[in-house]
Amino acid sequence: MAEKIKKIPTHIAIIMDGNGRWATRRGLPRNVGHREGVKAIERTVLACLKFGIKYCTFFAFSTENWKRSKEEINGIFDLIRDYIKKEDNIFEKYQIKLSSIGYLEPFPDDLKSALADMKEKTKNYDRMQVTLALNYGGRDDIVRAVNSLIKQGNNNITEKDLLDQLDTKNIPEPDFVLRTSGEMRISNFMLYQMAYSELYFPKVLWPDFNEKHLYKALKVYQKRNRRYGGLS
Ligand code: FPP
């Protein structure tokens, strides 16, 4: 990783795919894959700090993930809870602001309060912002935003009105969206916000993702010519 990266995306968003396959290939329960996935989150946040990436969003639980077994869902909740309650958490250690997107209401109360606690503790940090997408769906985000615009009495809205109402209102749109494991889908992630994002689908399974993979991804991003519909 000798060569310096010139064009650093402000916001990268990651669809962490392949935890289940990682575990199954080793004859282990799927939740072991998710547990290793948390370690990959930690590595990635530290690598983002190193490369100077300001915003990183992780798709941790989608509106569709409720279809999984109770055991797997509870396992994921335990991991999220443990991670944000950890004594030696990276948020306080490195002054990282924690935020979330998604409809939190159906989550267990103790998870919600642990999340609220860590958000409160880190709300003034500005070195980097990590966002967890929890019970997040791009369509659900848009529908909730439209419903609140209707409730406010609007009957004619602009793109900006909608952007200002989405869960991501305080975060820039993602410049670079990665999905690991080689699957080439966006699976109801930030649909509206991804209109001009660069997409990248490395083959590595999420639990194996590390700083070298992020570096390689950033090298790919260097070569992208973002035109936003204009001419270069
Ligand atoms: C996708 O892999 C991964 C998920 C649906 C869950 C990701 C959750 C975590 C990494 C834990 C969250 C914890 C924190 C701290 C935010 P998959 O299970 O769909 O993999 P597969 O396609 O190989 O089955």
Side-chain angles (χ1 to χ4, degrees):
M1 282 175 279
E3 201 185 320
K4 196 130 175 63
I5 303 282
K6 291 193 201 93
K7 210 166 60 173
I8 294 289
T10 303
H11 179 187
I12 70 166
I14 303 182
I15 303 175
M16 310 178 281
D17 199 7
N19 296 350
R21 273 164 284 171
W22 186 95
T24 308
R25 280 177 201 172
R26 289 164 175 78
L28 298 165
R30 295 179 56 82
N31 277 332
V32 177
H34 297 315
R35 194 176 70 208
E36 291 304 309
V38 178
K39 295 183 190 161
I41 294 177
E42 186 95 345
R43 285 195 294 273
T44 303
V45 173
L46 295 178
C48 283
L49 276 178
K50 187 166 162 184
F51 291 124
I53 295 165
K54 277 282 188 191
Y55 297 84
C56 188
T57 300
F58 296 97
F59 203 2
F61 195 90
S62 76
T63 46
E64 288 70 37
N65 286 151
W66 296 104
K67 294 180 198 151
R68 298 193 177 200
S69 73
K70 265 227 137 5
E71 188 192 355
E72 181 168 351
I73 293 172
N74 288 331
I76 294 176
F77 290 169
D78 288 344
L79 289 170
I80 299 172
R81 194 185 293 105
D82 290 352
Y83 188 62
I84 54 187
K85 277 176 86 167
K86 227 163 75 168
E87 264 306 307
D88 59 336
N89 63 82
I90 49 171
F91 307 107
E92 291 177 282
K93 186 167 178 189
Y94 294 102
Q95 298 178 358
I96 296 167
K97 177 173 173 172
L98 176 68
S99 61
S100 71
I101 53 173
Y103 181 58
L104 292 176
E105 200 43 43
F107 278 138
D109 286 339
D110 62 332
L111 197 162
K112 281 186 283 195
S113 66
L115 185 63
D117 265 8
M118 191 52 79
K119 283 182 184 173
E120 177 61 28
K121 279 184 187 153
T122 63
K123 68 178 181 200
N124 295 320
Y125 292 158
D126 62 1
R127 204 169 153 210
M128 184 187 168
Q129 181 164 339
V130 167
T131 302
L132 302 180
L134 299 170
N135 192 25
Y136 182 82
R139 289 181 176 181
D140 181 62
D141 193 5
I142 294 167
V143 169
R144 283 186 289 108
V146 170
N147 275 327
S148 55
L149 287 163
I150 293 170
K151 262 198 202 129
Q152 291 161 24
N154 295 283
N155 56 15
N156 186 5
I157 60 156
T158 63
E159 289 187 7
K160 176 150 190 336
D161 293 332
L162 186 56
L163 276 169
D164 287 347
Q165 206 61 50
L166 292 170
D167 289 343
T168 46
K169 52 184 167 290
N170 299 317
I171 313 171
E173 289 166 40
D175 303 289
F176 197 28
V177 177
L178 272 74
R179 182 186 187 131
T180 54
S181 91
E183 304 285 348
M184 291 192 233
R185 289 188 292 276
I186 54 174
S187 299
N188 200 15
F189 201 23
M190 298 191 271
L191 298 178
Y192 198 80
Q193 301 88 333
M194 273 163 64
Y196 286 103
S197 304
E198 293 297 329
L199 309 178
Y200 177 54
F201 302 97
K203 286 219 158 56
V204 57
L205 302 179
W206 178 249
D208 290 325
F209 195 83
N210 62 30
E211 186 182 319
K212 281 198 186 117
H213 296 102
L214 183 61
Y215 178 77
K216 194 168 165 214
L218 291 174
K219 296 274 288 175
V220 169
Y221 183 77
Q222 302 311 291
K223 298 202 183 90
R224 301 286 175 91
N225 179 9
R226 302 185 75 192
R227 290 193 296 274
Y228 301 94
L231 303 173
S232 58

